[in-house]
Amino acid sequence: MKPYPYYKLDSITDLKMLVAKRAEETPEKTAFIYTDDDGSVRTVTYKAFLADINAAGTYLAAAGIKDTNVALLGENSYEWVVAFFAVADGGNTAVPMDSRQPADNIRDLIGYGDCTAIIYSDKFRAFAESLTEIRTFPLSSFAEWISAGNEEIKKGNTEFTDYPVDPEKMAVLVFTSGTTGKPKGVMLSQKNLAEDVNYAVKNFVLEGTAMTLLPLHHMFGLGMGIFGVLNYEYPAYICRSIRSIAKDFQIGKPQTIFAVPMIVESFYKQFMMMAKRAGAPALPPEAVQQFFGGKLKNIICGGAPLDPMYVEAFRKWGITVLNGYGITECSPVVAVNRNEDYCDGSVGRVIPGCEVKIAEDGEILARGGNVMLGYYHNEEATKEAMAGGWFHTGDLGKISEDGYLFITGRIKNLIITHSGENVSPEEIEEKLLQDPAVSEAVVYGEDNVLAAAIYPEPSAHTELPYFQALADRLNAKEPAYRQIKKIVLKTEPFVRNSTGKIVRSLIGKA
Amino acid sequence: MFEKIVEVLSQYTEFPKENMTEETQLVDDLELNSFDVMTIISDVEDEYKISIPDEDIINFKTIGDIKNYLESHT
């Protein structure tokens, strides 16, 4: 397919401008939809959103929250979003926490991130109250923040509303989990976030409600699901919990959803089961639409590789799955497929404004206004990641002749064979996974040869000789250094981290 | 109660209903991912009019775990 012109959208320089612009241009349009604790549906206009940010920001400033790092801990909510802007637009750094990790990890990250305050939801009350060293602000007191902030504004306090945002200063500190090693604190400035929004939203035009099915501490969920959506005059529906999404679809009737592959796969599985129960080979598009609320056109998917099979299946149901590629360090979007310009199996073209080149060893390197300031308190890691002025993503890829980016693996997973050849295990795993009897597969190096750990599809009832024959068939097409010499069958699925990625460091040890 | 849970689960998996036991593993046997389990539990919550916290769901490994939880919470 051919590239076609980008959509015209005004550029922003920071997040404060993003909200202010919308509140000025479309004050009465709905910015957010969400359901309250009692199940009632709430809507917030752009004007009211800006007023809430100003009140909450003024309240925090008056409470002495200035030029400091503030942890945000809680499930997705409108109040969380307001708190984020109230912190970041007042010259502080917002530190969004993954609330699903163990309490001890969160405690460590709060210390490592030099947080002097925490904003938390009721679910984390006991934990937050155990943090005696830092100040605590419960989101359950949100209504009081707003009235106290508005009182301050009435008295003439303009500390927050007139605060001149420095676009170059760290505004967000995000800890990335990764599958190995210690977490890294990615420092992003308002400029980084604004530029990524500027680059990414041009690719796509939103024509209805958008819903993100990701936690907001995740840069894809926050950056695209909230910041990106705020560029259009359509609402963002805030899903409080992944468990309520079936109901949320019926209330929000999204035109676009943001998701990760695991969710897309889960939907697909549910539709196949629904078809089976109805005795049909496939579910009709109307039934699929009904599930999503009736208006779904696009699923924007990122975070991990997605089998093109799902893209094709959803296309038959009239839903376009646009796969993209991003990394927290790039705020996060780097490339994305477009509605009229896509290539299945690729992650689309690199977004304008961000430059990408492929290093000699195959690593994807990125440069542009969306690339992070560095890693927090880790100059060594920053230097290594930014060597030569390019951010080293750690992902392996290639750009096709017609300009589409393909992700082929992770550089740290590369297996260096005895003969010095590099093998990307993901490429071989993908071939194994095409066999219906293979449920999960991980390729690793052992004793200078390639080994494959396979978790067989339980319903296939296959034994080791079956997989040896499969390896033989694949090996016949590969040079010696890429051949699988050993197969280990697993009796249970691989351990995955909180983002659903297999923890490779455990392979071969368990 | 067991039959009711099996009924809900059978909407999400190809695993034969008649082969499900209390020891049946949600992930290993029924091949559900964590997102599937969350979705299923919200159906169970509707069915039993209760609310199950996420941190309890993480401990559900078998069909028996769900049954035992419901028995002690309803």
Side-chain angles (χ1 to χ4, degrees), chain A residues 243 266 269 277 457 493, chain B residues 11 28 31 36 45 52 54:
Chain A
R243 273 193 282 159
S266 184
K269 208 155 48 172
R277 282 199 301 279
E457 177 74 29
Chain B
Q11 313 268 313
D28 294 4
E31 293 175 66
D36 298 329
E45 286 178 319
I52 308 174
D54 288 359

Side-chain angles (χ1 to χ4, degrees), chain A residues 107-129:
Chain A
R107 199 185 302 272
D108 288 349
L109 294 177
I110 286 171
Y112 187 79
D114 297 318
C115 298
T116 63
I118 182 170
I119 294 175
Y120 62 94
S121 71
D122 216 33
K123 205 173 144 187
F124 301 95
R125 178 177 297 274
F127 170 76
E129 285 173 355

Side-chain angles (χ1 to χ4, degrees), chain A residues 20-144:
Chain A
K21 199 162 67 78
R22 198 49 46 230
E24 193 185 311
E25 288 169 10
T26 56
E28 302 304 335
K29 293 243 176 163
T30 303
F32 294 103
I33 307 174
Y34 62 96
T35 53
D36 227 336
D37 286 336
D38 61 7
S40 55
V41 180
R42 300 285 185 116
T43 60
V44 183
T45 63
Y46 284 98
K47 191 170 78 178
F49 177 47
L50 176 62
D52 281 347
I53 294 172
N54 284 340
T58 303
Y59 165 76
L60 292 175
I65 299 297
K66 285 170 202 165
D67 203 16
T68 190
N69 299 353
V70 182
L72 279 169
L73 180 65
E75 57 284 359
N76 290 2
S77 69
Y78 170 68
E79 292 80 6
W80 190 103
V81 175
V82 171
F84 173 88
F85 280 88
V87 169
D89 286 353
N92 303 292
T93 298
V95 190
M97 292 286 171
D98 179 353
S99 59
R100 296 161 304 177
Q101 27 174 8
D104 283 345
N105 285 19
I106 301 175
R107 199 185 302 272
D108 288 349
L109 294 177
I110 286 171
Y112 187 79
D114 297 318
C115 298
T116 63
I118 182 170
I119 294 175
Y120 62 94
S121 71
D122 216 33
K123 205 173 144 187
F124 301 95
R125 178 177 297 274
F127 170 76
E129 285 173 355
S130 76
L131 303 167
T132 49
E133 308 279 304
I134 67 172
R135 300 185 63 191
T136 53
F137 294 90
L139 281 171
S140 56
S141 305
F142 185 77
E144 286 99 87

Side-chain angles (χ1 to χ4, degrees), chain B residues 4 16 25 45 49 57 60 70:
Chain B
K4 253 186 174 177
Q25 301 270 336
E45 286 178 319
K49 308 265 177 294
I57 298 177
F60 295 165
L70 290 175

